[in-house]
Amino acid sequence: MMQFTGTPSHSLHQIAPFSIPTMNKNQIHQARPWPGFPTSKGLASFGDANCMEQLLVHCANAIESNDATLAQQTLWVLNNIAPSDGDSNQRLTSAFLRALIVRAAKSGSCKMLAAMANAHRNLSVETHTFSVIELANFVDLTPWHRFGFTTANAAILDAVEGYSVIHIVDLSSTYCMQIPTLIDAIANRFEGPPLVKLTVPGVPKDVPPLLDITYEELGSKLVNFARSRNVMLEFRAVPSTHADGFASLIDQLRLQHLVYAEAGEALVINCHMMLHYIPEETSSPLPNTNSNPYTFQPTSNPSLRTMFLKALRGLNPTIAILVDEDADLTSNNLVCRLRSAFSYLWIPYDTVDTFLPIGSKQRQWYEANICWKVENVIAHEGLQRVERVESKSRWVQRMRNAEFRGVSFGDETVSEVKTMLDEHAAGWGLKKEDDDLVLTWKGHNVVFATAWVPG
């Protein structure tokens, strides 16, 4: 699901540099019409999500055009109608407003908002550092990650049947939380457990969730767990990051591939909500050909995502799994990006009431995580904006362009996912789109799972 952090301790009502009296809706409606806003008659439903989104758009436009008057007006309204402890729409809107203020402070635009943010540095989102047990329990609270774990594990087990050595490259934002369940399943194979090699890259720096142990320490725990299941596990962490498209990891895998490919070793590439951290076309100028580590880069300078997928294809994996959130947060236009994020990120706010009580620590971590994501999408640009989620259709096209061929998930996988969803709220659902599976909330796409083999 999302990365998880701590909750900011102050609401926007507490940080305004000017006095904003608390007003009810009738009092707000009596205020004079503002330029660019509907009349009081048109503001009859302030609690409506569409109205809140439009007000955020006005605020974003004001910040981008350095219109302090319009920014102050929209801020005044949003402060009164979107408390950070309100209903799901209000909490969502409050997170976006906070992100817009942070953006103003970073860019230096709209001096009123910039001064406001600089005077109250507690706008930044505090991060919670998880223990392994905390993170494992947290991930199990919602299907956001469990959906991908279930579909991927089922596809992997089918693909590696009969192999005595399985090399899994786990590109995951959840610190290998998927792997114990996979080890359990592998341990029960009819032909006996194989040797499992597990390779992981470094996770994006300062991107939640944060773990209280190193990857090496985590690897030792996984090795011990596998041993308890009579599975021999070799663990290796490769210093490699998303910023250069995991170049070091690709180089290491290429060297290993030359050694082990003919020995009949299965190579599994498991990509779980991490590929969208790889910079793509809208993030920054790409490195030149001479400095790029990928030997296949043509002079046309393709994006790092394209290069990474082509590098994976060159490794001829037994199977590649791609799981990610089904949204598009890549636009260079702030308003377009805001609208897209607003129409997607209502989902985690809407679902939280079904599985976490108000006031619980886990709920604070969960909702602050969404605040972090909103801030990254709205307040940052360039390589700092790592939340560049792409839709399923765009990733499918990328995989096909890299000469991968999609494979369907079997009926047993669908059944397993449905059984898992039965453990959660009734709003979660599953649908099949061509070869792919999609997790839904109240009919809206949330997370997609795809499986690929070399075409």
Side-chain angles (χ1 to χ4, degrees):
M1 186 185 77
M2 329 281 311
Q3 298 88 7
F4 311 108
T5 59
T7 296
S9 57
H10 298 271
S11 71
L12 289 173
H13 292 281
Q14 297 172 294
I15 61 176
F18 45 85
S19 176
I20 302 179
T22 301
M23 305 176 68
N24 61 39
K25 291 182 181 178
N26 291 332
Q27 289 174 308
I28 293 175
H29 293 167
Q30 293 169 5
R32 65 177 177 83
W34 294 332
F37 284 90
T39 63
S40 59
K41 183 178 180 180
L43 292 173
S45 180
F46 264 99
D48 178 75
N50 291 331
C51 177
M52 292 184 177
E53 179 184 2
Q54 192 57 39
L55 287 169
L56 288 169
V57 167
H58 279 293
C59 191
N61 282 325
I63 290 173
E64 294 302 278
S65 61
N66 204 23
D67 186 340
T69 300
L70 180 57
Q72 182 168 342
Q73 290 169 344
T74 52
L75 175 65
W76 179 79
V77 176
L78 286 163
N79 263 290
N80 282 279
I81 67 173
S84 59
D85 58 353
D87 63 28
S88 58
N89 285 334
Q90 291 171 323
R91 301 196 309 275
L92 173 65
T93 302
S94 177
F96 274 82
L97 181 55
R98 181 186 303 274
L100 286 171
I101 294 172
V102 173
R103 181 182 180 89
K106 286 176 62 67
S107 65
S109 64
C110 196
K111 294 181 180 179
M112 182 276 296
L113 286 179
M116 173 181 173
N118 288 330
H120 300 275
R121 299 187 184 276
N122 52 21
L123 275 172
S124 59
V125 180
E126 299 175 5
T127 57
H128 174 74
T129 301
F130 287 85
S131 69
V132 172
I133 298 299
E134 279 181 334
L135 184 56
N137 290 335
F138 200 97
V139 166
D140 283 344
L141 287 172
T142 168
W144 208 283
H145 287 295
R146 291 190 71 196
F147 164 75
F149 294 172
T150 303
T151 53
N153 284 348
I156 291 170
L157 288 172
D158 286 343
V160 302
E161 185 176 354
Y163 284 90
S164 59
V165 181
I166 302 171
H167 185 185
I168 302 169
V169 180
D170 192 39
L171 293 158
S172 170
S173 61
T174 57
Y175 296 94
C176 302
M177 290 296 112
Q178 173 183 337
I179 300 303
T181 306
L182 180 59
I183 290 174
D184 268 336
I186 287 176
N188 295 322
R189 289 200 323 179
F190 176 77
E191 64 269 36
L195 166 64
V196 177
K197 300 178 180 180
L198 179 61
T199 299
V200 300
V203 295
K205 185 178 180 181
D206 299 329
V207 175
L210 304 178
L211 204 59
D212 66 355
I213 61 174
T214 65
Y215 250 131
E216 288 71 20
E217 293 171 314
L218 177 64
S220 295
K221 291 181 179 293
L222 287 170
V223 168
N224 290 334
F225 174 81
R227 186 180 296 118
S228 73
R229 301 299 192 270
N230 296 317
V231 174
M232 184 179 293
L233 175 67
E234 296 178 359
F235 181 90
R236 187 172 63 135
V238 177
S240 189
T241 71
H242 66 288
D244 63 356
F246 299 107
S248 298
L249 175 67
I250 291 295
D251 283 345
Q252 291 282 346
L253 293 176
R254 186 180 289 117
L255 290 174
Q256 289 189 48
H257 180 68
L258 295 175
V259 176
Y260 297 111
E262 295 183 1
E265 175 181 289
L267 176 61
V268 175
I269 309 294
N270 185 59
C271 306
H272 185 91
M273 298 192 189
M274 188 178 274
L275 294 197
H276 71 254
Y277 293 132
I278 297 176
E280 43 73 67
E281 292 86 344
T282 67
S283 57
S284 67
L286 292 168
N288 61 48
T289 304
N290 292 331
S291 65
N292 197 287
Y294 296 125
T295 57
F296 56 81
Q297 182 188 15
T299 56
S300 58
N301 237 5
S303 77
L304 287 177
R305 295 186 183 186
T306 297
M307 293 159 54
F308 174 78
L309 294 179
K310 287 186 176 180
L312 289 187
R313 174 61 183 85
L315 297 174
N316 200 36
T318 308
I319 191 168
I321 308 294
L322 173 57
V323 175
D324 218 314
E325 297 166 336
D326 196 2
D328 185 359
L329 307 180
T330 60
S331 176
N332 268 336
N333 181 278
L334 175 62
V335 169
C336 291
R337 201 161 71 238
L338 186 152
R339 288 188 182 279
S340 181
F342 194 88
S343 67
Y344 179 71
L345 292 176
W346 70 272
I347 296 173
Y349 274 107
D350 195 50
T351 63
V352 68
D353 292 329
T354 68
F355 65 93
L356 287 175
I358 296 174
S360 70
K361 287 185 178 180
Q362 288 181 322
R363 178 160 174 155
Q364 291 174 0
W365 301 336
Y366 174 90
E367 293 207 354
N369 158 75
I370 315 171
C371 286
W372 183 93
K373 194 178 189 80
V374 170
E375 179 179 318
N376 190 262
V377 171
I378 300 301
H380 300 284
E381 296 295 348
L383 293 177
Q384 287 185 317
R385 178 158 62 87
V386 299
E387 286 289 344
R388 295 174 178 268
V389 175
E390 288 188 297
S391 65
K392 179 174 79 74
S393 60
R394 289 177 64 175
W395 278 114
V396 166
Q397 191 57 55
R398 285 184 182 277
M399 295 297 286
R400 289 174 178 167
N401 289 346
E403 299 183 3
F404 281 97
R405 173 174 59 84
V407 293
S408 295
F409 294 96
D411 292 338
E412 289 186 8
T413 303
V414 172
S415 179
E416 286 184 42
V417 173
K418 289 181 177 178
T419 299
M420 181 271 294
L421 293 181
D422 287 341
E423 302 173 15
H424 298 278
W428 293 105
L430 175 69
K431 66 180 180 181
K432 194 165 186 177
E433 295 181 349
D434 299 323
D435 293 329
D436 315 321
L437 294 180
V438 180
L439 175 70
T440 63
W441 173 253
K442 297 181 178 178
H444 296 269
N445 286 15
V446 182
V447 176
F448 67 86
T450 60
W452 304 86
V453 295

